[in-house]
Short mmCIF file of all heavy atoms in Angstrom, two decimals:
data_model
loop_
_atom_site.label_atom_id
_atom_site.label_comp_id
_atom_site.label_asym_id
_atom_site.label_seq_id
_atom_site.Cartn_x
_atom_site.Cartn_y
_atom_site.Cartn_z
N GLY V 247 29.11 -15.61 5.85
CA GLY V 247 28.82 -16.93 5.30
C GLY V 247 29.55 -18.07 5.96
O GLY V 247 29.64 -19.16 5.38
N VAL V 248 30.09 -17.84 7.17
CA VAL V 248 30.83 -18.87 7.89
C VAL V 248 30.11 -19.15 9.21
O VAL V 248 29.88 -18.23 10.00
CB VAL V 248 32.28 -18.44 8.18
CG1 VAL V 248 33.04 -19.54 8.92
CG2 VAL V 248 33.01 -18.08 6.89
N ALA V 249 29.77 -20.41 9.46
CA ALA V 249 29.13 -20.80 10.73
C ALA V 249 29.90 -21.96 11.32
O ALA V 249 30.57 -22.71 10.60
CB ALA V 249 27.67 -21.18 10.50
N ARG V 250 29.78 -22.16 12.64
CA ARG V 250 30.54 -23.22 13.29
C ARG V 250 29.75 -23.87 14.42
O ARG V 250 28.80 -23.29 14.95
CB ARG V 250 31.86 -22.69 13.86
CG ARG V 250 31.71 -21.83 15.10
CD ARG V 250 33.05 -21.44 15.70
NE ARG V 250 33.72 -22.57 16.33
CZ ARG V 250 34.87 -22.47 17.00
NH1 ARG V 250 35.48 -21.30 17.10
NH2 ARG V 250 35.43 -23.53 17.54
N THR V 251 30.17 -25.08 14.73
CA THR V 251 29.76 -25.73 15.97
C THR V 251 30.96 -25.72 16.90
O THR V 251 32.08 -25.37 16.50
CB THR V 251 29.30 -27.18 15.73
OG1 THR V 251 30.40 -27.95 15.24
CG2 THR V 251 28.15 -27.23 14.73
N PHE V 252 30.73 -26.14 18.16
CA PHE V 252 31.79 -26.07 19.16
C PHE V 252 32.07 -27.45 19.74
O PHE V 252 31.19 -28.31 19.82
CB PHE V 252 31.41 -25.11 20.28
CG PHE V 252 31.34 -23.67 19.84
CD1 PHE V 252 30.17 -23.16 19.27
CD2 PHE V 252 32.43 -22.84 19.97
CE1 PHE V 252 30.10 -21.85 18.85
CE2 PHE V 252 32.37 -21.52 19.55
CZ PHE V 252 31.21 -21.02 18.99
N GLN V 253 33.33 -27.63 20.14
CA GLN V 253 33.73 -28.89 20.77
C GLN V 253 32.92 -29.14 22.04
O GLN V 253 32.46 -30.25 22.29
CB GLN V 253 35.23 -28.85 21.09
CG GLN V 253 35.78 -30.13 21.67
CD GLN V 253 37.29 -30.07 21.83
OE1 GLN V 253 37.96 -29.18 21.28
NE2 GLN V 253 37.84 -30.98 22.59
N ASN V 254 32.75 -28.10 22.84
CA ASN V 254 31.89 -28.15 24.01
C ASN V 254 30.57 -27.47 23.65
O ASN V 254 30.56 -26.33 23.21
CB ASN V 254 32.54 -27.45 25.21
CG ASN V 254 33.84 -28.10 25.61
OD1 ASN V 254 33.92 -29.32 25.73
ND2 ASN V 254 34.88 -27.29 25.80
N ILE V 255 29.48 -28.19 23.84
CA ILE V 255 28.17 -27.70 23.40
C ILE V 255 27.85 -26.34 24.02
O ILE V 255 27.99 -26.15 25.22
CB ILE V 255 27.08 -28.72 23.75
CG1 ILE V 255 27.31 -30.02 22.96
CG2 ILE V 255 25.69 -28.18 23.43
CD1 ILE V 255 26.40 -31.14 23.35
N GLU V 256 27.42 -25.40 23.16
CA GLU V 256 27.16 -24.03 23.60
C GLU V 256 25.71 -23.66 23.32
O GLU V 256 25.42 -22.73 22.56
CB GLU V 256 28.11 -23.06 22.89
CG GLU V 256 29.58 -23.30 23.12
CD GLU V 256 30.05 -22.86 24.49
OE1 GLU V 256 29.28 -22.16 25.18
OE2 GLU V 256 31.18 -23.21 24.88
N LEU V 257 24.78 -24.39 23.92
CA LEU V 257 23.35 -24.09 23.75
C LEU V 257 22.82 -23.31 24.94
O LEU V 257 23.42 -23.32 26.03
CB LEU V 257 22.55 -25.39 23.60
CG LEU V 257 22.86 -26.27 22.39
CD1 LEU V 257 22.07 -27.56 22.47
CD2 LEU V 257 22.57 -25.53 21.09
N PHE V 258 21.70 -22.63 24.74
CA PHE V 258 21.01 -21.96 25.84
C PHE V 258 20.05 -22.97 26.46
O PHE V 258 18.99 -23.26 25.89
CB PHE V 258 20.27 -20.72 25.33
CG PHE V 258 21.17 -19.67 24.76
CD1 PHE V 258 21.37 -19.58 23.39
CD2 PHE V 258 21.84 -18.79 25.59
CE1 PHE V 258 22.21 -18.62 22.85
CE2 PHE V 258 22.69 -17.82 25.07
CZ PHE V 258 22.88 -17.74 23.70
N GLY V 259 20.42 -23.50 27.61
CA GLY V 259 19.71 -24.63 28.20
C GLY V 259 18.25 -24.37 28.53
O GLY V 259 17.41 -25.27 28.39
N SER V 260 17.92 -23.15 28.96
CA SER V 260 16.55 -22.85 29.36
C SER V 260 15.65 -22.53 28.17
O SER V 260 14.43 -22.44 28.31
CB SER V 260 16.53 -21.67 30.35
OG SER V 260 17.04 -20.50 29.73
N MET V 261 16.24 -22.36 27.00
CA MET V 261 15.47 -22.03 25.80
C MET V 261 15.12 -23.30 25.05
O MET V 261 15.83 -24.30 25.12
CB MET V 261 16.27 -21.08 24.90
CG MET V 261 16.54 -19.72 25.53
SD MET V 261 17.71 -18.71 24.59
CE MET V 261 16.84 -18.49 23.05
N SER V 262 14.02 -23.26 24.33
CA SER V 262 13.60 -24.42 23.54
C SER V 262 14.55 -24.61 22.35
O SER V 262 15.35 -23.72 22.01
CB SER V 262 12.17 -24.22 23.03
OG SER V 262 12.14 -23.23 22.01
N VAL V 263 14.42 -25.76 21.72
CA VAL V 263 15.23 -26.04 20.54
C VAL V 263 14.96 -24.99 19.46
O VAL V 263 15.89 -24.44 18.86
CB VAL V 263 14.92 -27.45 20.01
CG1 VAL V 263 15.53 -27.67 18.63
CG2 VAL V 263 15.44 -28.50 21.00
N LEU V 264 13.69 -24.68 19.21
CA LEU V 264 13.35 -23.68 18.20
C LEU V 264 13.95 -22.32 18.55
O LEU V 264 14.50 -21.63 17.67
CB LEU V 264 11.84 -23.56 18.06
CG LEU V 264 11.33 -22.49 17.10
CD1 LEU V 264 11.83 -22.75 15.68
CD2 LEU V 264 9.80 -22.42 17.12
N GLU V 265 13.88 -21.93 19.81
CA GLU V 265 14.43 -20.63 20.22
C GLU V 265 15.95 -20.60 20.03
O GLU V 265 16.51 -19.57 19.64
CB GLU V 265 14.06 -20.35 21.67
CG GLU V 265 12.58 -20.03 21.87
CD GLU V 265 12.16 -20.05 23.32
OE1 GLU V 265 12.85 -20.68 24.15
OE2 GLU V 265 11.14 -19.42 23.63
N ASN V 266 16.63 -21.72 20.30
CA ASN V 266 18.06 -21.77 20.06
C ASN V 266 18.38 -21.56 18.59
O ASN V 266 19.35 -20.87 18.24
CB ASN V 266 18.63 -23.11 20.53
CG ASN V 266 19.11 -23.09 21.97
OD1 ASN V 266 20.21 -22.65 22.27
ND2 ASN V 266 18.24 -23.55 22.87
N LEU V 267 17.56 -22.14 17.71
CA LEU V 267 17.80 -21.95 16.28
C LEU V 267 17.54 -20.52 15.84
O LEU V 267 18.27 -19.96 15.01
CB LEU V 267 16.92 -22.91 15.48
CG LEU V 267 17.55 -24.26 15.09
CD1 LEU V 267 17.94 -25.05 16.33
CD2 LEU V 267 16.63 -25.05 14.19
N LEU V 268 16.50 -19.90 16.41
CA LEU V 268 16.20 -18.51 16.06
C LEU V 268 17.34 -17.58 16.45
O LEU V 268 17.60 -16.59 15.75
CB LEU V 268 14.89 -18.08 16.72
CG LEU V 268 13.62 -18.70 16.14
CD1 LEU V 268 12.41 -18.42 17.03
CD2 LEU V 268 13.36 -18.19 14.72
N VAL V 269 18.04 -17.90 17.54
CA VAL V 269 19.22 -17.12 17.92
C VAL V 269 20.25 -17.16 16.80
O VAL V 269 20.92 -16.16 16.51
CB VAL V 269 19.82 -17.66 19.24
CG1 VAL V 269 21.19 -17.03 19.50
CG2 VAL V 269 18.89 -17.35 20.40
N GLY V 270 20.38 -18.32 16.17
CA GLY V 270 21.35 -18.45 15.08
C GLY V 270 21.03 -17.61 13.87
O GLY V 270 21.88 -17.44 12.99
N LEU V 271 19.82 -17.07 13.79
CA LEU V 271 19.42 -16.24 12.65
C LEU V 271 19.46 -14.74 12.95
O LEU V 271 19.19 -13.94 12.06
CB LEU V 271 18.01 -16.63 12.21
CG LEU V 271 17.89 -17.85 11.30
CD1 LEU V 271 16.43 -18.25 11.14
CD2 LEU V 271 18.52 -17.59 9.95
N GLN V 272 19.76 -14.37 14.18
CA GLN V 272 19.68 -12.96 14.55
C GLN V 272 20.55 -12.06 13.69
O GLN V 272 20.17 -10.95 13.32
CB GLN V 272 20.07 -12.80 16.03
CG GLN V 272 19.03 -13.31 17.00
CD GLN V 272 17.67 -12.65 16.82
OE1 GLN V 272 17.57 -11.44 16.81
NE2 GLN V 272 16.64 -13.47 16.65
#
């Protein structure tokens, strides 16, 4: 039940916004 963001952005650049969010649900 603990989630975080990062000081330096840690997104998957080649993936779409929706795909990045789906990673967060894995």
Side-chain angles (χ1 to χ4, degrees):
V248 181
R250 73 174 289 184
T251 64
F252 293 85
Q253 183 175 345
N254 299 313
I255 295 173
E256 301 285 348
L257 297 175
F258 297 98
S260 62
M261 296 170 62
S262 71
V263 169
L264 177 61
E265 289 168 338
N266 269 278
L267 267 61
L268 289 169
V269 169
L271 278 171
Q272 288 302 308

